[in-house]
Amino acid sequence: MLPYLLLLILAHAGWVTTADLGNYSLVKNIFILAGQSNISGRGGVINHSLRPGVVNESWDGVIPRECESNPSILRLSGGLKWVEAHEPLHKDIDVNNTCGIGPGMPFANTVLKKDPSIGVIGLVPCAVGGTSITEWAPGGFLYRSMIKRTKAATRGGGKIRALLWFQGESDTKTLEDAKMYKVRLERFFNHVRHDLGMPNLTVIQVGIATALGPYMELVREAQREINIGNLKYVDAKGLQIGPDYTHLTTAAQIQLGQMLADAFLRPN
């Protein structure tokens, strides 16, 4: 009896959460976050480097209200445990980069605000900055890791509700990659659905707003032309870009998260 009471006291104090105890049945709605840096999150990341080619970054630690933690929002950690979600969501996934604010928390908070009955949301961070679509090819490390993490997330019976995908900036570098993007991305989406046993899994794709090469419009055109069912498209173009001309600002990430939530909640 005493250990049980102690556990209740610790949980109430915030030192232990039910998710940490391995209760996977808490999570009712699972969302996969995958792609590259703009979904991993670079909002609030500051580059302190004084010369080109030198990277010395830190996150400013500012968490806007739209990105605050919520007991009804959990994240699957790098160790495959459910913990209460907080920024930066990808800190133990995108480990070779400095992570900041992304769209995941504003997405989840907006969904809960607009549909309070939806139940506990579980976010599965999988994104890695700077990755190309070929690095997400079925059978590769990133792909296998995403599928493994997603299957682990469903152990308690939670339902995979959508894949949130934001990637493509790295595929603007060469004409060949830009031309092949549509075929490669459709193949990726189809394999994800097959390997998760969900042929109609909702995919919410973000149209890129920046590029690492000269072929952004070719990649954007390919994204708009993806021909699979139950695909929703959210365009990031026009959102505020940071001083590095590559990453969305914190304010833009909040706006994007809200746009993703609206797309998810919008009937097909």
Side-chain angles (χ1 to χ4, degrees):
M1 184 66 178
L2 284 177
Y4 177 71
L5 290 175
L6 178 60
L7 188 59
L8 286 178
I9 293 171
L10 290 174
H12 182 69
W15 300 334
V16 177
T17 70
T18 309
D20 293 323
L21 304 178
N23 189 349
Y24 276 66
S25 63
L26 280 176
V27 179
K28 304 301 181 185
N29 307 275
I30 296 168
F31 296 91
I32 310 163
L33 309 177
Q36 57 184 111
S37 56
N38 270 319
I39 195 165
S40 169
R42 299 292 186 267
V45 172
I46 303 168
N47 190 340
H48 306 279
S49 304
L50 298 179
R51 63 184 187 276
V54 177
V55 178
N56 179 21
E57 295 178 332
S58 67
W59 175 48
D60 63 15
V62 176
I63 301 177
R65 174 180 52 82
E66 296 89 346
C67 304
E68 290 177 350
S69 298
N70 184 319
S72 294
I73 305 173
L74 306 181
R75 67 179 288 272
L76 194 71
S77 73
L80 303 181
K81 294 182 179 179
W82 285 118
V83 296
E84 186 167 311
H86 58 80
E87 299 285 11
L89 280 180
H90 278 79
K91 64 178 182 179
D92 59 352
I93 302 298
D94 193 4
V95 294
N96 292 322
N97 296 292
T98 301
C99 297
I101 300 294
M105 289 302 292
F107 164 79
N109 276 310
T110 301
V111 170
L112 283 172
K113 181 179 179 180
K114 294 192 173 185
D115 184 6
S117 67
I118 195 170
V120 174
I121 289 174
L123 301 175
V124 183
C126 298
V128 175
T131 51
S132 66
I133 190 61
T134 55
E135 292 176 273
W136 286 92
F141 173 78
L142 292 175
Y143 182 87
R144 287 185 285 108
S145 176
M146 179 186 65
I147 297 298
K148 175 185 175 181
R149 287 176 54 74
T150 304
K151 288 183 175 180
T154 63
R155 286 189 298 207
K159 181 181 178 182
I160 305 170
R161 302 299 302 273
L163 164 64
L164 310 184
W165 175 258
F166 191 173
Q167 188 278 333
E169 295 95 337
S170 291
D171 291 272
T172 64
K173 295 179 182 179
T174 71
L175 181 59
E176 179 184 1
D177 284 340
K179 284 183 173 180
M180 288 296 296
Y181 191 77
K182 179 176 182 289
V183 171
R184 290 168 174 168
L185 186 57
E186 285 184 353
R187 183 185 302 134
F188 168 78
F189 289 151
N190 288 327
H191 273 274
V192 171
R193 287 173 167 177
H194 176 269
D195 290 342
L196 294 178
M198 300 184 68
N200 295 311
L201 172 66
T202 298
V203 174
I204 308 177
Q205 178 192 196
V206 181
I208 60 172
T210 61
L212 298 178
Y215 300 106
M216 181 173 76
E217 290 308 320
L218 276 180
V219 171
R220 281 177 51 81
E221 181 181 356
Q223 291 176 323
R224 293 191 297 268
E225 291 179 353
I226 297 297
N227 186 26
I228 64 171
N230 206 20
L231 173 73
K232 300 183 179 184
Y233 179 80
V234 170
D235 199 346
K237 195 169 186 180
L239 297 180
Q240 187 180 44
I241 307 298
D244 62 1
Y245 302 103
T246 302
H247 296 114
L248 300 181
T249 65
T250 294
Q253 289 286 13
I254 292 171
Q255 189 175 350
L256 176 61
Q258 294 167 340
M259 292 163 64
L260 287 165
D262 289 341
F264 169 70
L265 294 170
R266 185 171 63 243
N268 291 331

